[in-house]
Amino acid sequence: VLPLDYIGLEEGFGVLMETGEPIRKDVAIATNAGQSFFRVTAVRADSNIVLTFSDITALRQSESALQFQANELVQANEFLEEQGRKLADLAEQAERDRALAIQNSRLISELFDSLPMPVAYLDIKGVVQACNDRYAGIFNRQRNQVIGHHFSDVVESDVVPLIDEMNAQILRAPSGRQTYEVKLRGGEGSARDYVVQRALIRGEDGQAVGIASALVDFTEEYELRSELERLATTDMLTGLFNRRIFTRRGREEMGRAARHGQPLAVFLFD
């Protein structure tokens, strides 16, 4: 049925006849069902050669399937190793970023502590993310009692509406800068006057991420200014308003009466 040269055994028949050593070879044979694989064995029987054919198609298919699975496992293992290397790189980068963040946090903390004025940093939601002891001291608190808390939990309630309005204004300000005055009362009830200098902090994408504030205590300056204003507008002997105030208020009232078309009366008492 099959020529010997197709099987490829004829060259070994001479050796087989001389030595009696069996010859084995796997061959592919086309059948009606497709390609099949056979293991051909040649053995010597006296002066004859007997050929046996064992169908190993299923074995070959299993071997092929196993080889395919093995290749997939190798590829999966290579992929996992690559992902493992990437994860290790990410972990190292995360560790470097964490160390840098800690270093930057310490640097900011040291910088805040070195400033001679109260300073604080609030995120866009109004939560205090950093401050120095001078800022916390305004409210008779420790720093850890301020950081992580919303500003409305730190300042007195009557100041909250003002700060809310200032926050809204600085977010709309093209310059991202702001200055305003505020009176703050510490835990013991003592009130101090401050000038607040603020700057809007933006992220890499240009979006606002927080507000940095520095407070300058000008209570003594304000009191001095008020005292100078009092001396300039009152009589030293009686403490009553002097002619300067009368003249200024008179101009204001005359202007108001003229605007509204109303009469104006002046009374003089001894």
Side-chain angles (χ1 to χ4, degrees), residues 12-232:
F13 285 169
V15 177
L16 172 62
M17 297 301 295
E18 293 179 1
T19 64
E21 186 69 26
I23 302 173
R24 293 181 180 84
K25 186 173 183 181
D26 295 344
V27 297
I29 300 175
T31 65
N32 294 332
Q35 191 178 48
S36 299
F37 294 91
F38 292 89
R39 179 160 294 164
V40 182
T41 303
V43 296
R44 187 180 67 185
D46 295 332
S47 60
N48 298 314
I49 294 177
V50 178
L51 299 179
T52 60
F53 291 79
S54 301
D55 191 343
I56 60 171
T57 303
L59 177 62
R60 279 296 185 90
Q61 291 175 345
S62 298
E63 290 177 348
S64 178
L66 289 173
Q67 184 61 43
F68 178 78
Q69 292 178 356
N71 293 337
E72 285 191 331
L73 288 174
V74 170
Q75 293 177 358
N77 185 60
E78 292 176 350
F79 174 78
L80 290 175
E81 289 180 351
E82 178 64 21
Q83 294 302 310
R85 287 191 292 268
K86 290 182 179 180
L87 288 174
D89 293 340
L90 289 174
E92 291 179 0
Q93 183 62 44
E95 181 63 25
R96 289 193 295 267
D97 292 343
R98 188 182 71 84
L100 181 60
I102 293 175
Q103 180 180 355
N104 290 338
S105 177
R106 290 175 178 171
L107 177 62
I108 292 173
S109 178
E110 292 174 0
L111 178 62
F112 274 25
D113 288 340
S114 67
L115 294 174
M117 65 196 63
V119 291
Y121 172 72
L122 283 68
D123 64 21
I124 204 66
K125 296 180 179 179
V127 178
V128 181
Q129 297 296 332
C131 72
N132 59 4
D133 290 332
R134 292 179 178 85
Y135 182 86
I138 295 176
F139 313 102
N140 292 326
R141 301 193 184 197
Q142 298 297 321
R143 190 188 311 188
N144 59 5
Q145 296 175 315
V146 175
I147 295 175
H149 295 271
H150 195 270
F151 76 87
S152 61
D153 297 328
V154 178
V155 304
E156 54 269 25
S157 58
D158 57 342
V159 182
V160 172
L162 171 64
I163 299 179
D164 279 333
E165 176 60 25
M166 293 299 103
N167 288 345
Q169 288 184 13
I170 195 172
L171 290 174
R172 298 192 299 266
S175 65
R177 298 289 187 272
Q178 185 182 67
T179 301
Y180 65 93
E181 298 181 7
V182 64
K183 185 182 292 291
L184 296 176
R185 188 175 294 103
E188 298 178 354
S190 60
R192 307 286 295 181
D193 294 288
Y194 294 91
V195 173
V196 184
Q197 302 280 352
R198 308 175 92 202
L200 192 64
I201 307 300
R202 300 185 183 276
E204 295 181 356
D205 57 357
Q207 298 297 316
V209 296
I211 301 171
S213 303
L215 287 71
V216 179
D217 187 341
F218 76 112
T219 304
E220 284 75 16
E221 289 80 356
Y222 181 80
E223 291 175 350
L224 178 60
R225 186 174 64 185
S226 299
E227 178 64 15
L228 292 175
E229 177 70 16
R230 187 189 67 80
L231 292 175

